[in-house]
């Protein structure tokens, strides 16, 4: 089953439960708003959105900037992986692919930051 909506895909795959069980959290873009509605103990942190009627406060703007800084290296890493097309012909066990992807992201971040 393929989902094009991140919130629907995330709830279908029980991402929040897996993150909570592992004691992890995630920084996400605004496409994931609504996935985690737990205000006291959020697992998925998204930014704030402005509208015509609701302008962002300076604190919300700062929070969005901090979130963007935290997400930028990951976004850059995925962009490099897409550019290299390294995963297009990968045929292996998903657990092995996850380890490979993590190693590639580490190497990519090292290359980008040097």
């Amino acid at each position: 089953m393929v989902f094009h909506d991140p919130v629907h895909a995330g709830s279908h795959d029980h991402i929040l439960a897996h993150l909570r069980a592992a004691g992890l959290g995630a920084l996400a873009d605004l496409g994931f708003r609504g996935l985690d509605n737990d205000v006291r103990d959020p697992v998925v942190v998204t930014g704030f959105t402005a509208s015509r009627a609701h302008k962002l406060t300076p604190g919300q703007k700062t929070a969005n900037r901090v979130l963007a800084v935290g997400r930028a290296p990951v976004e850059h890493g995925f962009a490099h992986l897409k550019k290299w097309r390294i995963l297009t012909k990968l045929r292996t066990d998903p657990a092995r692919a996850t380890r490979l992807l993590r190693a590639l992201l580490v190497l990519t971040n090292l290359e980008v930051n040097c």
Side-chain angles (χ1 to χ4, degrees):
M1 190 175 299
V2 176
F3 298 105
H4 299 285
D5 176 19
V7 174
H8 192 192
S11 61
H12 180 268
D13 293 335
H14 308 289
I15 290 175
L16 293 178
H18 292 296
L19 287 171
R20 283 189 202 286
L24 298 173
L27 301 178
D29 63 12
L30 294 176
F32 287 89
R33 288 198 66 187
L35 178 64
D36 188 6
N37 293 325
D38 188 356
V39 179
R40 292 181 185 216
D41 187 25
V43 174
V44 178
V45 178
T46 58
F48 297 95
T49 56
S51 66
R52 289 183 182 176
H54 172 69
K55 303 297 180 195
L56 294 181
T57 66
Q60 289 172 329
K61 289 180 183 181
T62 302
N64 281 352
R65 276 193 291 278
V66 169
L67 182 64
V69 167
R71 289 184 51 241
V74 177
E75 295 290 338
H76 289 238
F78 280 122
H80 283 288
L81 289 175
K82 286 180 184 179
K83 180 177 74 177
W84 294 342
R85 298 180 185 199
I86 200 156
L87 299 174
T88 57
K89 295 183 181 181
L90 184 66
R91 304 289 183 258
T92 186
D93 178 44
R96 188 168 185 207
T98 301
R99 287 192 300 271
L100 176 64
L101 183 60
R102 285 179 183 157
L104 288 171
L105 283 173
V106 167
L107 292 174
T108 301
N109 284 332
L110 286 174
E111 179 186 24
V112 169
N113 293 329
C114 289

